[in-house]
Amino acid sequence: MLNGKTALVTGGSSGIGLAAARLLRDKGARVAIMGSSQEKLDRAVADLGNDVVALRGDVTSLDDLAKVRDALETAFGGLDILFANAGVAFGTPIATTDEAGYHRMMDVNVKGVFFTVQAVLPLMREGGSIVLNTSWLNQVGTPGRALLSASKAAVRSFARTLAAELIDRKIRVNAVSPGSIETPIHRSNGQSEEEFRAYAEKVGAQVPMGRMGRPEEIAAAVLFLASDASSYMLGAEIVVDGGRAEL
Ligand SMILES: NC(=O)c1ccc[n+]([C@@H]2O[C@H](COP(=O)([O-])OP(=O)(O)OC[C@H]3O[C@@H](n4cnc5c(N)ncnc54)[C@H](OP(=O)(O)O)[C@@H]3O)[C@@H](O)[C@H]2O)c1
């Protein structure tokens, strides 16, 4: 399905990005993953296989993004698919959140996505597809999540604007909007597996489908948006949330 294509997955060393990298590779693409921790990248390559290219870099650093672009050019020549997925999530209650927390959220989730697209754009070929990762939180209000929700609403907006801006280059931009997905982003330090299962059950009970989602369920939508199967989709968002934001 993706034979002859190349892909970059930011945040491809864990969770949703790791599942997407695996699926894109299994469908024939040559895949590179980017993350800020070398240790996590090494673990991901051990899991995925040595055919995956690991590129260390922080999406908040324009220098790192330029280096990643250069490394991609050396490895692949050009790029057909970008899954701009790297992101962070934490609570930011209005009464207690400080400026550093504000900058951290917006730097990774908003600035990081914008400049990732800018950095790799010179490598992107006609017919390319950019998939942005938003969140079910971009369309609902939940307490303590003002900055996470606003950051993802900004990314939802990028999908529309960048789609309009890149249409002349025949590069499509769309988004995937995950619900609550079982990934390390939901795990806290020192939490036992038993404690995490209890947490996952509690969160799952808030979802109409009665459970948290699996990273592979988001990867399936990413594959669709990345491939020509979605050739008539532009500036749109696929919601994959077990009904969390829709019902
Ligand atoms: N899981 C959910 O319930 C859920 C719901 C809606 C949306 N999402 C979105 O899905 C995306 C992936 O999240 P996940 O759940 O798969 O979490 P995850 O398992 O924690 O993965 C996050 C990935 O992003 C990378 N990353 C974080 N900050 C980075 C930075 N500054 N530079 C480069 N890479 C960075 C991480 O690697 P390093 O730590 O090594 O940098 C990791 O590979 C995020 O954008 C998140 O907001 C998740």
Side-chain angles (χ1 to χ4, degrees):
M1 189 181 197
L2 299 178
N3 286 337
K5 307 258 188 196
T6 60
L8 171 66
V9 178
T10 67
S13 58
S14 176
I16 292 168
L18 181 62
R22 191 190 315 279
L23 186 59
L24 296 174
R25 192 273 317 271
D26 288 351
K27 294 296 176 186
R30 292 167 71 204
V31 173
I33 57 174
M34 175 186 176
S36 65
S37 152
Q38 187 64 48
E39 198 190 321
K40 280 192 205 172
L41 286 169
D42 291 346
R43 257 187 279 140
V45 170
D47 179 7
L48 292 169
N50 282 328
D51 55 336
V52 169
V53 177
L55 303 171
R56 209 209 66 77
D58 183 332
V59 293
T60 68
S61 158
L62 271 63
D63 280 353
D64 282 8
L65 287 169
K67 283 182 193 135
V68 162
R69 184 208 31 243
D70 293 348
L72 270 178
E73 189 166 21
T74 306
F76 294 159
L79 194 66
D80 302 291
I81 296 160
L82 167 66
F83 181 30
N85 158 77
V88 290
F90 49 89
T92 54
I94 184 71
T96 53
T97 298
D98 62 12
E99 198 179 359
Y102 178 93
H103 285 306
R104 173 90 190 125
M105 186 80 77
M106 294 303 180
D107 277 0
V108 179
N109 288 5
V110 182
K111 176 184 161 185
V113 169
F114 185 82
F115 286 105
T116 297
V117 174
Q118 184 185 73
V120 303
L121 214 42
L123 299 182
M124 286 210 69
R125 289 189 269 250
E126 196 169 290
S129 172
I130 296 175
V131 183
L132 309 181
N133 198 342
T134 59
S135 169
W136 67 284
L137 289 168
N138 77 29
Q139 48 179 339
V140 295
T142 60
R145 285 166 165 158
L147 296 183
L148 176 57
S149 307
S151 73
K152 293 300 189 177
V155 177
R156 175 66 189 90
S157 176
F158 285 165
R160 294 191 173 98
T161 314
L162 297 177
E165 203 165 323
L166 299 177
I167 194 166
D168 288 348
R169 286 189 53 186
K170 297 190 169 49
I171 295 169
R172 294 184 302 115
V173 186
N174 292 287
V176 63
S177 175
S180 298
I181 310 302
E182 269 197 43
T183 71
I185 218 168
H186 285 276
R187 292 181 187 257
S188 36
N189 279 341
Q191 189 182 40
S192 69
E193 196 53 36
E194 202 183 8
E195 284 163 344
F196 180 70
R197 290 317 328 154
Y199 164 88
E201 232 167 78
K202 200 173 113 206
V203 174
Q206 297 161 17
V207 181
M209 229 170 237
R211 63 171 175 86
M212 291 182 77
R214 296 185 297 274
E216 294 73 23
E217 294 176 311
I218 307 304
V222 174
L223 172 65
F224 175 68
L225 291 173
S227 76
D228 293 341
S230 61
S231 53
Y232 201 50
M233 290 191 68
L234 199 61
E237 181 182 63
I238 298 184
V239 177
V240 187
D241 71 350
R244 188 145 206 200
E246 301 289 354
L247 305 194

